[in-house]
Amino acid sequence: GHANIGVVGLAVMGSNLARNLASREGNTVAVLNRSRSKTDELVGAHPEAGFVPAFSYEDFAGSLQRPRTAIIMVKAGGATDAVIEELIRVFEPGDIIVDGGNALFTDTIRREKAVRETGINFVGMGVSGGEEGALNGPSLMPGGSDESWTTLGPILRSIAAVAEGEPCVTHVGHDGAGHFVKMVHNGIEYADMQLIAEAYDLIRRGTGKSPAEIADVFAEWNRGELESYLIEITAEVLRQVDAETGRPLVDVIVDQAGAKGTGAWTVQTALSLGVPVSGIAEATFARSLSSHPEQREVSRALPGPSAESAAQALQVDDVDAFIEKIRLALYASKIVAYSQGFDEIRAGAAEYGWHIDLGRIAAIWRGGCIIRAQFLNRITEAYAATPELPVLLTAPYFVDALTRAQAAWRDVVAISARAGIPAPAFSSSLAYYDGLRAERLPAALIQGQRDFFGAHTYKRIDKAGTFHTLWSGDRTEIEAEDTH
Ligand code: NBP
């Protein structure tokens, strides 16, 4: 065989990735799809790519140089397992199977373990950037063994997006590390999108500006510290006019947000790791709330602030100042969301034994992926200065930003509460920030309650040991066995 890389699964993502690979000097790409039609279509449409089509797994293996390297781009789940089973049948020890689908990282850990037994390398790789990214340069988050990275590294570097001269790919860590990081990327994306949506809603309801006028606000924001792909496309979506009705498209779209589950995975995983990713959770739940029209229908008559007090809360004498406050609230909440997301990666790495360079992760998200932004450079710098930084938002740059933003942030949360405009991600981010800052938390009371009903014991601030109060007896305190 003479192809140096193969792609299995030629739907939109696989086709685009195969074309991207073929367009790079030195690559010859073998392609295979379960149903023949997609292969014929791709190969027919792109003679310039010099694809080597295969119509069986045997052909496919035969067309590849050793070590054989194949990227799977099929529907995540059972399809991935089915393809892996076939590849194991025709591949040999030392070959490399890469899963570029959106797999749950625990599936990747399981698959890596099973495939490794055969002597074949298995790499779970997060791919970000959608169809466009796959074709022109995605952000790539491969896990797997060091051995496979030696072969894969140069190929992946050649197709990844480039940010400030650097390819957006790094060997994230072993087994499921790549898919874990891709999952958290998607969780952060949910939070980013929700924060932008809350900012839009407050501006619209607070100032009465039209979507097109708000598009100008976002375009302006995109020239400052909020510069990012998501802010940029927000302006474009808001400017879009519906051809059929002549209304802003955003007013014609049904207000129920869909989700494919990666936000929920991020939150579920954070819950089991004990990491408070409240911004991502609120963003995920906000989509859920929007998607229950029957609940929203019966709730419409619930009391809110009177029109008068809502108007008073929103009373905006200086529109520009109001918009600037919202911009600052958005920036502060965004810092919280990223800080929480990186906290989840840190905790996941500790739990699963991965060595993840957090600064490198921020760096490879600067290009190709949906959350690409200038801002990520600040995260790379923060971890470069302090690799073991326990809370990202305590890095000096972010402290400065939060110091500038916090008064406005509080105002915006207060205004939204008084006006009856939901801002769950803004307000939960602020609560997280104040929770971290607090000298004392009411967690002490919770420990007292737990000790009362379940003898769960507590620690004291003034001496070592574990204690229990005899709540149903004479209420004296005894030293207890540490139950934790
Ligand atoms: P789909 O997720 O729609 O999957 C379609 C592909 O899976 C087709 O090639 C199909 O073959 C193949 N397939 C199925 Br379904 N069952 C199979 C089986 N049992 N055995 C072999 N092949 C099977 O494609 P996509 O939207 O291109 O996404 C591919 C992967 O990339 C997914 O895991 C997705 O989550 C991930 N991803 C997508 C994006 C994005 O923006 N869309 C971004 C990042 C990652 P057939 O032609 O014979 O039916």
Side-chain angles (χ1 to χ4, degrees), residues 36-52:
R36 186 187 171 118
S37 58
K38 281 200 182 73
T39 313
D40 289 334
E41 218 170 282
L42 174 70
V43 174
H46 297 282
E48 79 288 351
F51 287 126
V52 182

Side-chain angles (χ1 to χ4, degrees), residues 26-297:
N27 285 340
T28 303
V29 186
V31 290
L32 172 68
N33 193 66
R34 177 180 59 177
S35 48
R36 186 187 171 118
S37 58
K38 281 200 182 73
T39 313
D40 289 334
E41 218 170 282
L42 174 70
V43 174
H46 297 282
E48 79 288 351
F51 287 126
V52 182
F55 299 101
S56 72
Y57 281 91
E58 285 77 8
D59 278 359
F60 184 70
S63 66
L64 285 164
Q65 294 167 10
R66 292 189 176 79
R68 297 182 185 87
T69 307
I71 303 179
I72 306 175
M73 287 305 272
V74 301
K75 195 172 155 63
T80 309
D81 286 311
V83 173
I84 290 170
E85 202 173 303
E86 294 284 353
L87 287 174
I88 286 177
R89 200 167 53 71
V90 295
F91 274 20
E92 290 170 316
D95 290 349
I96 302 166
I97 300 174
V98 183
D99 173 22
N102 259 339
L104 180 59
F105 75 97
T106 46
D107 285 339
T108 303
I109 292 174
R110 165 179 65 77
R111 288 171 182 145
E112 200 273 342
K113 203 162 166 241
V115 175
R116 197 192 324 137
E117 313 246 294
T118 69
I120 297 169
N121 294 290
F122 182 79
V123 176
M125 177 169 76
V127 178
S128 180
E131 309 172 18
E132 217 274 332
L135 182 60
N136 297 315
S139 175
L140 297 171
M141 292 153 260
S145 67
D146 298 335
E147 184 194 350
S148 40
W149 176 242
T150 309
T151 304
L152 270 180
I155 298 173
L156 298 181
R157 263 192 222 106
S158 76
I159 60 163
V162 175
E164 296 170 40
E166 274 178 72
C168 293
V169 58
T170 192
H171 184 209
V172 173
H174 292 160
D175 56 61
H179 276 135
F180 186 96
V181 164
K182 171 63 174 22
M183 172 187 78
V184 176
H185 163 283
N186 284 28
I188 291 173
E189 176 185 311
Y190 275 55
D192 237 341
M193 292 168 71
Q194 175 66 23
L195 292 169
I196 292 170
E198 290 177 16
Y200 151 75
D201 200 25
L202 280 163
I203 296 175
R204 186 148 187 202
R205 290 163 72 170
T207 69
K209 278 182 183 287
S210 71
E213 289 167 327
I214 301 172
D216 293 339
V217 171
F218 279 99
E220 176 64 33
W221 288 0
N222 200 40
R223 286 193 278 276
E225 60 197 355
L226 280 172
E227 185 278 329
S228 64
Y229 172 72
L230 281 170
I231 294 278
E232 178 192 328
I233 65 163
T234 298
E236 300 211 15
V237 173
L238 289 175
R239 232 188 290 280
Q240 184 73 12
V241 173
D242 176 45
E244 210 169 304
T245 59
R247 297 172 61 194
L249 180 66
V250 72
D251 289 346
V252 181
I253 296 175
V254 173
D255 59 345
Q256 297 171 26
K260 279 189 170 174
T262 45
W265 286 352
T266 311
V267 179
Q268 284 161 349
T269 303
L271 285 170
S272 41
L273 290 168
V275 180
V277 294
S278 46
I280 299 170
E282 285 297 349
T284 308
F285 287 137
R287 290 196 192 185
S288 314
L289 187 153
S290 78
S291 300
H292 286 286
E294 68 301 341
Q295 293 185 342
R296 292 172 60 188
E297 181 64 38

Side-chain angles (χ1 to χ4, degrees), residues 12-34:
V12 56
M13 289 295 290
S15 298
N16 283 0
L17 201 69
R19 287 173 58 198
N20 185 350
L21 283 160
S23 72
R24 308 295 154 162
E25 194 64 39
N27 285 340
T28 303
V29 186
V31 290
L32 172 68
N33 193 66
R34 177 180 59 177

Side-chain angles (χ1 to χ4, degrees), residues 442-452 456-459 471 484:
L445 175 59
I446 289 169
Q447 285 297 80
Q449 294 164 331
R450 294 178 69 241
D451 190 57
F452 189 103
H456 292 302
T457 75
Y458 51 85
K459 306 243 188 238
W471 295 103
H484 302 285

